[in-house]
Amino acid sequence: MSSCTPAGKNKSPAKGDLAWWQLSLIGIGCTIGTGYFLGSGIGVKITGPSIVLSFLLAALGTYIVFNVLAKMTAADPQTGSFCYYAGKAFGKWAAFSCGWNYWASNILIMGSQLTALSILSQFWFPHIPLWIFASGYAILSILVVLTGTKGFDKTENLFAVIKFAAILMFIVLAVAALAGILSSSKEPVVRSGLPPLFTGGISGFWASLTYAFYAYGGIEVIGLMAMQLKKKEDAPKSGTVMLICLAAVYVASLALAVLIVSADVFHENESPFVTALSAYNLPFFPHVFNGAIIIAGFSAMTASLFGVTNLLVILADDGDAPAFFSKKSRKLKDLPLPSLGLAVIGLIASIITALLLPGKIYEYITTAAGILLLYNWFFIVISSLKLLKQSVLMKIASWIGLGLIVFAVSGTLLDHEVRPGFYVSLLFVMIIAVVCLFMKKKWKVKKTAPKYF
């Protein structure tokens, strides 16, 4: 991942060496994580088969956000991506807020993935406490980051292929199950008709949208890493291919899962895809798929750790964080050890929290992380409304995107099980707002009208 630069500081994009398809692959690798493999199970539990509709609406909203971000990137390519555009549209406070909000959301994502990895590992070792698994995965993630950018890119590309292959494996097996090719230990397993769509009611469907959007969290990577492309104008192509691939496999796999078994069977401690095929004589599948999910979660967590480590350096360079965090170690491939250290503290906090609240912490952290991402997506769209000269149709699409984002965030208030995650996200926003007010006293106010692209 790249990082954010504030408004007013124009950093020229460096010459990249990535092909468009490589960026698509990296984007897929950074996006597919436990938010899809495990978090979607929470969505199915609270809304039932209508989770498929949630993912379709989330795909539409995600495309709208990506589309305006790609247009801003093409018109004015900047390494700061959406943080830079927010600052250009609304001032330095917006760039500062977006940068720290993105940092906070990724810290929560690390905690979410770390907790999920520990829960999944208990599939094989049920008597080992969560915090021991969390500690081990945290150490492994730090070791990957210590290998530097090249080591990280190679690892993420490999993980992307494994994760995508796992989803395709489930789709093939699920189709075989529905076709009656696979033998089952329970009869009947395949439904005789279509299941009721909104088993959790409208409120359950409303609340599930956050989990659907969270599964697409990562599309902003296209904007952040677009500067590494050989041809910057290929950013829209990379994002479009990435989103089409994600939406296709997400919707297909979830539709197959809810067609095979009843929605009340799913729960947050097991992937819905493992649950869907648990009645079939596939002794290898739970182990193979569980391993693939662990790889997915570890990949997403490591990407977040790599991202926040580099982001904090830029924030420090721009005076939006203590200068101490910009220091790099020449002995360790210019790795910013102080910045990495702060991220590690976040990981340790997640481990402690997982130990104290192992039952509900995954749902709370996942909800809060998803909401914080949506706050940044909201800023992307409103920045585009101010900076881009849009057609009437494009403006309508932008407002639809804003409506979907607001709909998803507000939906978390309707379910008592995920509502605490909303309050956690508000706590982070309030902290950033207070710090922002304090920082405004130090910033030199420059009232300049934004320039249209």
Side-chain angles (χ1 to χ4, degrees):
M1 286 186 182
S2 182
S3 45
C4 304
T5 56
K9 183 165 286 190
N10 190 359
K11 293 190 176 182
S12 300
K15 185 177 181 180
D17 56 0
L18 282 180
W20 70 266
W21 62 268
Q22 289 176 307
L23 182 55
S24 295
L25 190 62
I26 292 174
I28 290 172
C30 292
T31 301
I32 301 177
T34 55
Y36 162 70
F37 279 118
L38 195 60
S40 58
I42 305 174
V44 175
K45 184 180 71 172
I46 62 179
T47 191
S50 57
I51 190 66
V52 177
L53 181 57
S54 296
F55 269 74
L56 284 171
L57 287 176
L60 173 62
T62 304
Y63 177 77
I64 292 171
V65 174
F66 153 72
N67 186 48
V68 296
L69 178 59
K71 287 183 181 298
M72 289 190 291
T73 301
D76 185 16
Q78 297 290 335
T79 54
S81 189
F82 57 86
C83 297
Y84 172 85
Y85 304 132
K88 188 172 184 178
F90 301 104
K92 188 173 175 62
W93 70 269
F96 177 89
S97 300
C98 281
W100 277 105
N101 182 74
Y102 190 70
W103 188 89
S105 67
N106 275 272
I107 288 293
L108 289 182
I109 287 172
M110 285 193 292
S112 170
Q113 305 289 356
L114 196 62
T115 305
L117 288 174
S118 304
I119 292 172
L120 291 165
S121 297
Q122 285 187 330
F123 175 77
W124 293 307
F125 308 100
H127 302 297
I128 297 179
L130 290 177
W131 70 270
I132 293 180
F133 285 119
S135 301
Y137 286 122
I139 292 172
L140 288 175
S141 183
I142 293 169
L143 291 176
V144 172
V145 173
L146 288 173
T147 63
T149 303
K150 290 185 178 180
F152 169 78
D153 287 346
K154 290 179 181 179
T155 302
E156 285 299 313
N157 285 337
L158 175 62
F159 286 165
V161 173
I162 294 173
K163 289 186 283 187
F164 208 75
I167 301 173
L168 293 178
M169 178 181 67
F170 168 78
I171 291 174
V172 171
L173 291 174
V175 171
L178 288 172
I181 298 174
L182 299 180
S183 59
S184 171
S185 58
K186 298 179 181 178
E187 294 291 344
V189 174
V190 179
R191 300 175 182 273
S192 57
L194 292 176
L197 189 60
F198 296 95
T199 57
I202 297 300
S203 61
F205 170 72
W206 196 343
S208 72
L209 273 173
T210 298
Y211 294 99
F213 269 103
Y214 182 56
Y216 290 100
I219 192 69
E220 68 277 357
V221 170
I222 296 297
L224 290 171
M225 297 191 69
M227 299 308 103
Q228 299 182 31
L229 284 169
K230 293 178 182 177
K231 298 179 179 179
K232 306 298 185 291
E233 61 271 20
D234 283 343
K237 184 194 300 184
S238 296
T240 301
V241 171
M242 169 190 167
L243 187 54
I244 289 174
C245 291
L246 288 174
V249 297
Y250 280 0
V251 171
S253 56
L254 283 170
L256 289 168
V258 296
L259 280 174
I260 292 175
V261 296
S262 175
D264 57 11
V265 177
F266 299 101
H267 56 87
E268 68 273 13
N269 291 332
E270 183 179 69
S271 170
F273 312 109
V274 173
T275 302
L277 295 179
S278 60
Y280 292 89
N281 296 321
L282 299 169
F284 70 91
F285 181 76
H287 299 279
V288 173
F289 206 74
N290 198 65
I293 301 172
I294 289 174
I295 289 174
F298 181 78
S299 168
M301 183 186 72
T302 304
S304 295
L305 179 60
F306 187 85
V308 297
T309 298
N310 288 282
L311 171 60
L312 189 55
V313 173
I314 300 299
L315 290 172
D317 285 339
D318 296 329
D320 292 336
F324 171 72
F325 291 112
S326 65
K327 294 182 179 180
K328 297 183 179 181
S329 172
R330 294 182 179 179
K331 295 181 179 179
L332 292 174
K333 302 178 181 180
D334 288 330
L335 189 72
L337 290 181
S339 178
L340 176 61
L342 185 61
V344 170
I345 290 174
L347 281 176
I348 294 174
S350 297
I351 295 171
I352 295 173
T353 308
L355 175 63
L356 296 177
L357 298 169
K360 288 293 181 181
I361 188 60
Y362 177 70
E363 290 188 41
Y364 298 162
I365 293 178
T366 299
T367 304
I371 293 173
L372 287 176
L373 279 178
L374 290 178
Y375 292 157
N376 264 6
W377 286 18
F378 188 88
F379 255 102
I380 290 173
V381 179
I382 62 174
S383 297
S384 72
L385 286 170
K386 192 166 185 180
L387 295 174
L388 288 175
K389 290 182 178 179
Q390 300 181 349
S391 64
V392 174
L393 186 61
M394 189 174 174
K395 285 183 179 180
I396 293 174
S398 296
W399 282 106
I400 291 174
L402 289 175
L404 288 172
I405 292 172
V406 172
F407 194 66
V409 172
S410 60
T412 57
L413 294 172
L414 302 178
D415 191 286
H416 70 279
E417 292 188 358
V418 299
R419 194 179 300 137
F422 174 79
Y423 297 135
V424 172
S425 73
L426 281 186
L427 176 62
F428 276 86
V429 170
M430 289 174 62
I431 293 172
I432 293 172
V434 170
V435 175
C436 188
L437 289 173
F438 174 77
M439 291 294 294
K440 284 185 71 174
K441 297 179 181 179
K442 297 184 177 181
W443 294 332
K444 293 181 179 180
V445 180
K446 295 182 179 180
K447 295 183 178 181
T448 56
K451 297 179 179 180
Y452 289 91
F453 296 157

